[in-house]
Amino acid sequence: MECYKCGSELSSLDICSNCGAQVGVYKKIITMSNTFYNMGLQKARVRDLSGATELLKQSLALYKKNIQARNLLGLVYYEMGEVVIALREWVLSKNFEPENNIADYFIKKVQSNQNKLQVLNQSVRKYNICLRHAAEDKKDVAIIQLKKVINTNEKFVKAYQLLGLLYIHEQEYEKAKRVLKKSLTIDRGSTLSTRYLNEINEVTGVTEKELKKEQAKEKKKKKKEPEGLSGNDVIIPKSTYKEINYGFFTFIYVVIGMVIGAAMVFFLVTPAKIKDAKSEGSKDVQSYMDEISKSNITISDLEVQIEALNAEKQSLSEQLAQEQGKTDNSAAYNELLEAVTLFVNNDVKGCADKLTTITLPEGMETQAVNLYNALTARTYPEAATAHINQGSQLANRSQWQEALTELLLGEKMNPNDIGCLYNIGKCYYQLNGQAIDENARKYFEKVIELSPGSNYAGWSQGWLGQ
């Protein structure tokens, strides 16, 4: 388990040994999240998909970066026919952990068959349309469309449940039972499907025991074959009837039927499809126009910002040129101009690093000093944090010399950061062959002086006492 603040490995203590953060509550949250994940995994193994979904959502509510729980939730959604939501969970998982994440395999597997993915997405859209039809009391249309949805997405549990509910409203209880039982083969723990079945049994007055008996009787009837008639029972006389050949008429009827079908498609179906296509096309065009408008606005804003920055740079360059003409401090002005250029180009860290190398000589103009102070105030806090974090990570990997370089830069920018001072002392201690030298002693004593009651002070006292 890693520290949420600095990323170092945690021990059994409730305090991070690297940054001193309190991690007791954090550990309990991670443990509870993993517990819900394990419970959801057990539910998923017995195909109680609804129960697994609720438990996995609780796991992620506690710790959103629980990669195993998020990947399993995506698989559960996929098994329930909700491919879009499954992809969303896997993409989130991939963003939290880009490397060595099985979600990458799931995403590629689903997206490898674009035709199937498009069909499944279309089934979800049709289901939403069916919901609207049902709300508008267009139950017949909704039932027809839901049958098509189930044919294209055989695992779509919500479609089975909605179709079963519509059958119940139409009092077609046998059809409703078949559909709901099909949904329970996919999600055995669905309380909604079970509730619908119980309501059907209450309305029809059929108990579960009676249902089993009826099913057993039907199976026996199917096994019994009807007895054929023997020659003694039936006398078949010779027939003088000559069967008429209807082949020609059948062919004519087929041709007429095809013509009628083509006419219906042309006059009824085709205009509706053309109208829908035009509507969709106009929506897409409007969407593209909105996106282009937003892009134009963004580009205009960026151009205004660039012009302002260039103007600021030009003004500062002119000021510095004037100052260079007045004094002999040309080298300091040049370095300060380089720092300004880095800042204008949004290189905050590079600007801060450059400022640490500049020493303002005596006699510098007040405007130059104010500019230097303004740049340090704008860049040092952010750059110091970056150097200190980088140095702490290098120290955790025992790269002491590289860590010391980063931490010393961080100290220049933020000389009162206790964690930085403490880690500098550790680096000097390790580079001196795990012995206290003058540099290590100086930094440990400075930590004790600046923060006498902190954990860092206690740890520094321990190093000095060796």
Side-chain angles (χ1 to χ4, degrees):
M1 190 181 298
E2 296 180 351
C3 176
Y4 66 91
K5 189 173 183 180
C6 66
S8 60
E9 192 69 23
L10 296 177
S11 62
S12 59
L13 301 175
D14 290 342
I15 299 176
C16 177
S17 59
N18 180 56
C19 65
Q22 297 289 337
V23 294
V25 177
Y26 172 72
K27 284 183 175 181
K28 292 179 181 178
I29 292 173
I30 298 298
T31 303
M32 286 297 297
S33 176
N34 290 333
T35 301
F36 280 117
Y37 161 71
N38 291 326
M39 294 167 64
L41 179 60
Q42 296 299 323
K43 292 278 189 181
R45 283 175 174 170
V46 296
R47 295 201 67 83
D48 182 359
L49 303 183
S50 298
T53 301
E54 294 302 320
L55 291 170
L56 292 171
K57 284 182 179 179
Q58 292 184 36
S59 174
L60 294 173
L62 289 169
Y63 182 53
K64 66 179 181 181
K65 294 184 180 180
N66 192 332
I67 302 301
Q68 290 180 320
R70 196 169 290 280
N71 288 340
L72 180 57
L73 181 58
L75 282 175
V76 171
Y77 278 130
Y78 183 81
E79 281 298 308
M80 295 172 71
E82 301 188 41
V83 182
V84 177
I85 303 178
L87 279 173
R88 181 192 66 189
E89 297 298 333
W90 290 331
V91 169
L92 287 173
S93 173
K94 178 73 174 173
N95 290 334
F96 287 135
E97 189 173 307
E99 302 295 334
N100 299 322
N101 192 339
I102 197 173
D104 192 26
Y105 168 79
F106 294 145
I107 294 171
K108 290 179 180 178
K109 188 74 173 176
V110 173
Q111 292 180 343
S112 62
N113 191 342
Q114 287 295 325
N115 291 332
K116 182 178 179 182
L117 180 60
Q118 187 175 2
V119 169
L120 294 177
N121 287 341
Q122 190 66 25
S123 69
V124 175
R125 295 192 188 98
K126 288 182 178 178
Y127 168 76
N128 292 329
I129 294 172
C130 292
L131 278 176
R132 188 166 66 249
H133 286 326
E136 295 172 356
D137 203 21
K138 299 177 182 177
K139 297 184 179 61
D140 294 338
V141 179
I143 289 172
I144 294 171
Q145 291 296 326
L146 283 171
K147 289 179 180 178
K148 295 179 181 179
V149 170
I150 292 171
N151 288 333
T152 56
N153 191 351
E154 296 180 351
K155 294 182 178 180
F156 202 173
V157 174
K158 288 185 177 179
Y160 285 107
Q161 292 172 341
L162 180 58
L163 181 57
L165 181 61
L166 292 175
Y167 278 141
I168 292 173
H169 278 281
E170 296 297 315
Q171 297 183 358
E172 299 183 20
Y173 299 118
E174 291 301 323
K175 292 182 179 179
K177 283 183 181 180
R178 286 197 297 270
V179 170
L180 294 171
K181 286 179 180 179
K182 178 64 177 178
S183 72
L184 286 175
T185 61
I186 302 169
D187 181 10
R188 296 178 182 174
S190 175
T191 55
L192 187 60
S193 297
T194 305
R195 193 183 77 186
Y196 288 165
L197 282 173
N198 291 337
E199 289 179 0
I200 292 171
N201 291 336
E202 289 179 2
V203 171
T204 57
V206 179
T207 63
E208 195 65 29
K209 188 174 181 181
E210 291 174 344
L211 285 173
K212 291 180 180 179
K213 287 182 179 180
E214 289 179 2
Q215 291 172 357
K217 288 180 181 179
E218 290 178 0
K219 289 181 180 179
K220 289 181 180 179
K221 288 180 180 179
K222 289 180 181 180
K223 290 181 180 179
K224 291 182 179 181
E225 295 181 358
E227 297 181 357
L229 296 174
S230 65
N232 296 327
D233 297 328
V234 179
I235 298 175
I236 302 175
K238 291 182 179 180
S239 175
T240 59
Y241 172 75
K242 185 177 181 180
E243 185 175 356
I244 299 173
N245 186 2
Y246 290 98
F248 176 75
F249 297 100
T250 303
F251 174 75
I252 294 299
Y253 295 152
V254 169
V255 171
I256 293 172
M258 292 174 65
V259 171
I260 293 172
M264 291 180 66
V265 170
F266 181 77
F267 289 107
L268 298 179
V269 179
T270 303
K273 288 188 176 181
I274 292 173
K275 184 178 179 181
D276 293 340
K278 288 182 178 178
S279 177
E280 291 294 329
S282 62
K283 289 180 181 177
D284 292 340
V285 170
Q286 184 62 38
S287 176
Y288 294 146
M289 294 299 294
D290 292 341
E291 291 180 3
I292 291 171
S293 177
K294 291 178 182 178
S295 301
N296 291 335
I297 292 171
T298 303
I299 292 170
S300 300
D301 292 341
L302 291 175
E303 289 177 349
V304 170
Q305 293 179 13
I306 291 171
E307 290 178 1
L309 290 173
N310 287 332
E312 183 180 356
K313 178 183 175 182
Q314 183 64 29
S315 175
L316 292 173
S317 299
E318 292 175 357
Q319 293 178 19
L320 288 175
Q322 294 174 3
E323 296 299 329
Q324 286 178 347
K326 295 179 182 178
T327 66
D328 295 328
N329 301 321
S330 58
Y333 282 115
N334 288 333
E335 291 181 345
L336 190 57
L337 179 59
E338 292 178 11
V340 170
T341 302
L342 291 170
F343 180 76
V344 171
N345 292 330
N346 292 325
D347 187 0
V348 176
K349 187 171 178 293
C351 177
D353 292 344
K354 184 65 181 177
L355 290 172
T356 59
T357 65
I358 298 175
T359 302
L360 296 180
E362 295 183 1
M364 287 286 286
E365 293 292 333
T366 303
Q367 292 179 346
V369 174
N370 291 338
L371 177 62
Y372 174 84
N373 292 334
L375 288 174
T376 56
R378 290 285 299 274
T379 60
Y380 271 12
E382 181 179 342
T385 301
H387 283 298
I388 292 170
N389 290 340
Q390 181 67 18
S392 300
Q393 293 176 6
L394 291 169
N396 290 337
R397 297 195 292 267
S398 300
Q399 296 176 253
W400 303 110
Q401 187 60 55
E402 295 84 349
L404 181 61
T405 302
E406 293 289 332
L407 291 168
L408 287 174
L409 281 172
E411 183 200 8
K412 284 185 178 181
M413 301 174 190
N414 188 0
N416 295 323
D417 189 290
I418 304 302
C420 177
L421 298 174
Y422 172 77
N423 284 324
I424 292 174
K426 281 176 61 178
C427 290
Y428 278 125
Y429 173 84
Q430 296 292 341
L431 292 171
N432 194 43
Q434 296 186 347
I436 297 293
D437 62 354
E438 182 179 351
N439 289 322
R441 181 178 300 279
K442 179 180 72 173
Y443 279 96
F444 286 140
E445 288 178 350
K446 190 173 181 180
V447 170
I448 296 172
E449 178 185 353
L450 293 176
S451 182
S454 66
N455 291 329
Y456 289 111
W459 297 331
S460 299
Q461 191 67 49
W463 290 107
L464 294 174
Q466 291 184 359

